[in-house]
């Protein structure tokens, strides 16, 4: 049945004819013939036509029509989407992309916007340096032609080979391979590769290029990503739905979940962060803006820092506010505790309400500090962990106003 996701017996026979299963013990793609690649490409594209993810707005012409091979798409929307997708899944990106395109419909609009406006649109997507780099790249792109080469795109901030290849193949149907996480997983399983993909980057690039359909690279790259995202998933691959099942060395080995091979994970360090939500007598709250470089660069936050060994959280908050802002505060009741995991560490934010006592706030370890009305906090771009702090603050103030 069309749309069911299952491969019928006839369909499975067709995709298996003429192409051998790959064996990790030989030079896998070095021995891949054009006929092998054609069988793989034909099978994948036939599957994608029936079961691929449709309706991705930046992959369609105005009016929602899929482009023909000779038709180009607007590179702007594709560029924005591909940068958003670097660390984020499609389902999460879609609403952010839609709002972004409403706020900044052209590269000229993005270049003319302030960095604060750009960060506010990005808020919640994480990896916030991507927003800054998009803004920087817009300044370089405005007024000129769109790059048509890998080198041209990779010269822009925040663009690597995969993103550049995806933009060019999507916008211009350029025959360029991609190698995102989904593609690495599919290829690692297809070949039952015995090492982590990161150790053999050049080899995986060669494989991605070898199987690329030279006539329909736009569709093929999307199909390969769709296969990894919807069928060849990390923990529960649906091998019965896979157009490459009969060629897959990992499937033949019995448990495709054993691939990709990974290095043993290192334990994530854990830190406790004391955070002070500082209020003055007028009811304003103090926020500061992080330095541009480093984690969460340019984002706004409530001030605080790491708890030292043997230090109470109240002492930590008072010390950090003195060191970072030059102010003295009275640390009051706990407002909320928020656990948040980054890719490289886990943090626990222990947040206390504080009353400002003395000292003019200074940006001793930040770009700037600002007293703002609590109701205006939504106008500033905060990291995701701060959303719960803001919610707790506004709820606390509302309860105080209406005991």
């Amino acid at each position: 049945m069309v749309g069911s996701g299952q491969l019928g017996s006839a369909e499975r026979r067709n995709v298996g004819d003429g192409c051998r299963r790959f064996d990790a013990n030989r030079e896998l793609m070095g021995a891949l013939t054009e006929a092998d690649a054609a069988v793989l490409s034909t099978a994948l594209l036939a599957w994608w036509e029936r079961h691929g993810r449709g309706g991705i707005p930046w992959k369609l012409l105005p009016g929602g029509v899929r482009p023909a091979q000779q038709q180009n798409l607007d590179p702007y929307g594709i560029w924005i989407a591909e940068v958003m997708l670097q660390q984020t899944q499609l389902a999460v990106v879609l609403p952010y992309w839609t709002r972004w395109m409403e706020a900044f419909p052209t590269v000229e609009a993005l270049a003319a916007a302030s960095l604060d406006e750009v960060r506010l649109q990005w808020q919640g997507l994480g990896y916030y340096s991507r927003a800054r780099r998009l803004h920087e790249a817009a300044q370089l792109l405005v007024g000129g032609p769109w790059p048509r080469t890998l080198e041209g795109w990779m010269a822009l901030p925040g663009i690597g080979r995969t993103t550049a290849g995806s933009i060019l193949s999507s916008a211009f149907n350029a025959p360029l391979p991609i190698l995102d996480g989904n593609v690495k997983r599919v290829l690692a399983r297809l070949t039952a590769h015995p090492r982590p993909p990161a150790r053999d980057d050049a080899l995986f690039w060669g494989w991605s290029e070898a199987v690329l359909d030279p006539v329909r690279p736009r569709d093929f790259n999307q199909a390969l990503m769709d296969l990894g995202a919807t069928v060849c998933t990390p923990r529960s691959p649906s091998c019965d739905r896979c157009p490459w099942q009969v060629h897959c060395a990992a499937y033949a080995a019995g448990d495709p979940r054993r691939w990709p091979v990974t290095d043993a994970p290192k334990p994530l360090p854990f830190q406790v962060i004391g955070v002070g939500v500082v209020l003055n007598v007028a009811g304003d709250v103090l926020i500061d803006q992080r330095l541009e470089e480093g984690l969460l660069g340019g984002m706004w936050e409530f001030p605080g820092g790491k708890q030292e060994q043997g230090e109470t959280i109240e002492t930590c908050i008072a010390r950090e506010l003195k060191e970072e802002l030059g102010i003295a505060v009275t640390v009051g009741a706990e407002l909320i505790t928020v656990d948040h995991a980054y890719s490289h560490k886990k943090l626990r934010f222990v947040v206390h309400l504080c009353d400002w006592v003395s000292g003019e706030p200074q940006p001793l370890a930040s770009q700037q500090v600002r007293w703002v009305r609590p109701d205006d906090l939504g106008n500033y771009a905060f990291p995701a962990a701060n959303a719960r702090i803001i919610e707790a603050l506004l709820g606390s103030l509302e309860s105080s106003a209406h005991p």
Side-chain angles (χ1 to χ4, degrees):
M1 182 177 69
V2 173
S4 69
Q6 301 291 328
L7 295 181
S9 57
E11 188 177 358
R12 196 179 297 284
R13 264 198 316 276
N14 289 337
V15 301
D17 291 346
C19 186
R20 57 192 179 272
R21 176 172 286 124
F22 296 109
D23 178 359
N25 293 318
R26 62 184 173 85
E27 287 296 323
L28 302 166
M29 298 298 185
L32 181 67
T33 66
E34 288 187 14
D36 290 331
V39 169
L40 288 169
S41 175
T42 299
L44 181 61
L45 287 170
W47 168 85
W48 181 71
E49 293 286 354
R50 294 163 61 94
H51 309 302
R53 295 178 294 183
I56 300 174
W58 53 86
K59 296 295 182 80
L60 302 173
L61 293 166
V65 179
R66 184 187 295 177
Q69 295 170 22
Q70 71 276 11
Q71 290 179 296
N72 294 336
L73 294 173
D74 179 13
Y76 174 68
I78 294 171
W79 166 48
I80 300 301
E82 290 298 337
V83 172
M84 289 182 171
L85 287 164
Q86 285 173 354
Q87 302 286 351
T88 313
Q89 293 182 342
L90 176 64
V92 176
V93 162
L94 280 167
Y96 279 92
W97 183 87
T98 300
R99 290 193 295 267
W100 180 285
M101 296 301 291
E102 291 171 354
F104 315 120
T106 64
V107 67
E108 291 80 11
L110 176 57
S114 71
L115 186 51
D116 284 340
E117 291 173 317
V118 171
R119 286 195 179 107
L120 201 57
Q121 286 298 322
W122 195 272
Q123 184 175 233
L125 268 178
Y127 297 92
Y128 295 96
S129 61
R130 293 182 293 172
R132 184 181 73 248
R133 289 169 182 158
L134 279 172
H135 191 248
E136 291 173 359
Q139 318 300 316
L140 300 173
L141 287 167
V142 72
W146 288 101
R148 298 292 290 261
T149 65
L150 276 177
E151 295 77 15
W153 277 102
M154 291 174 67
L156 297 172
I159 304 294
R161 183 178 174 184
T162 284
T163 301
S166 190
I167 293 169
L168 287 165
S169 64
S170 296
F172 307 116
N173 203 33
L176 295 167
I178 59 171
L179 194 62
D180 71 350
N182 284 321
V183 175
K184 289 179 182 178
R185 183 171 59 257
V186 170
L187 293 176
R189 287 175 175 168
L190 179 67
T191 61
H193 188 62
R195 288 156 51 92
R199 296 191 190 180
D200 293 311
D201 199 56
L203 185 61
F204 274 74
W205 273 111
W207 293 349
S208 185
E209 188 167 15
V211 298
L212 179 68
D213 188 291
V215 178
R216 297 177 61 188
R218 171 194 286 140
D219 294 343
F220 182 87
N221 281 340
Q222 187 60 50
L224 196 53
M225 288 188 289
D226 287 359
L227 184 67
T230 65
V231 173
C232 195
T233 56
R235 295 178 181 84
S236 301
S238 301
C239 297
D240 59 328
R241 297 168 50 210
C242 181
W244 285 358
Q245 184 206 86
V246 295
H247 319 295
C248 180
Y251 176 77
D255 186 4
R257 293 173 299 178
R258 290 162 48 199
W259 288 272
V261 174
T262 59
D263 291 316
K266 297 179 180 178
L268 294 179
F270 174 77
Q271 295 174 342
V272 175
I273 307 295
V275 177
V277 176
V278 183
L279 296 161
N280 63 17
V281 293
D284 300 324
V285 63
L286 187 62
I287 59 176
D288 64 350
Q289 188 179 31
R290 296 176 67 94
L291 298 173
E292 286 297 336
E293 297 305 319
L295 183 68
L296 307 177
M299 302 297 286
W300 291 88
E301 65 179 3
F302 299 101
K306 290 183 288 187
Q307 183 183 28
E308 302 293 347
Q309 187 172 4
E311 187 178 46
T312 68
I313 201 67
E314 291 84 358
T315 301
C316 165
I317 293 170
R319 175 184 54 76
E320 287 286 343
L321 297 185
K322 185 67 174 178
E323 292 175 356
E324 294 189 1
L325 302 175
I327 62 173
V329 301
T330 300
V331 180
E334 181 178 329
L335 178 65
I336 191 174
T337 293
V338 178
D339 289 328
H340 192 76
Y342 295 98
S343 59
H344 61 295
K345 61 182 176 181
K346 295 180 179 180
L347 300 179
R348 172 167 295 161
F349 298 94
V350 182
V351 187
H352 281 247
L353 294 170
C354 300
D355 292 323
W356 174 70
V357 176
S358 63
E360 188 64 28
Q362 305 169 59
L364 302 177
S366 59
Q367 289 192 63
Q368 59 176 315
V369 296
R370 189 171 295 181
W371 290 107
V372 300
R373 300 301 302 169
D375 289 342
D376 290 336
L377 289 170
N379 297 324
Y380 297 84
F382 284 84
N386 284 256
R388 291 182 58 197
I389 300 176
I390 294 173
E391 181 182 7
L393 170 64
L394 296 178
S396 174
L397 295 174
E398 177 71 16
S399 297
S400 299
H402 302 91

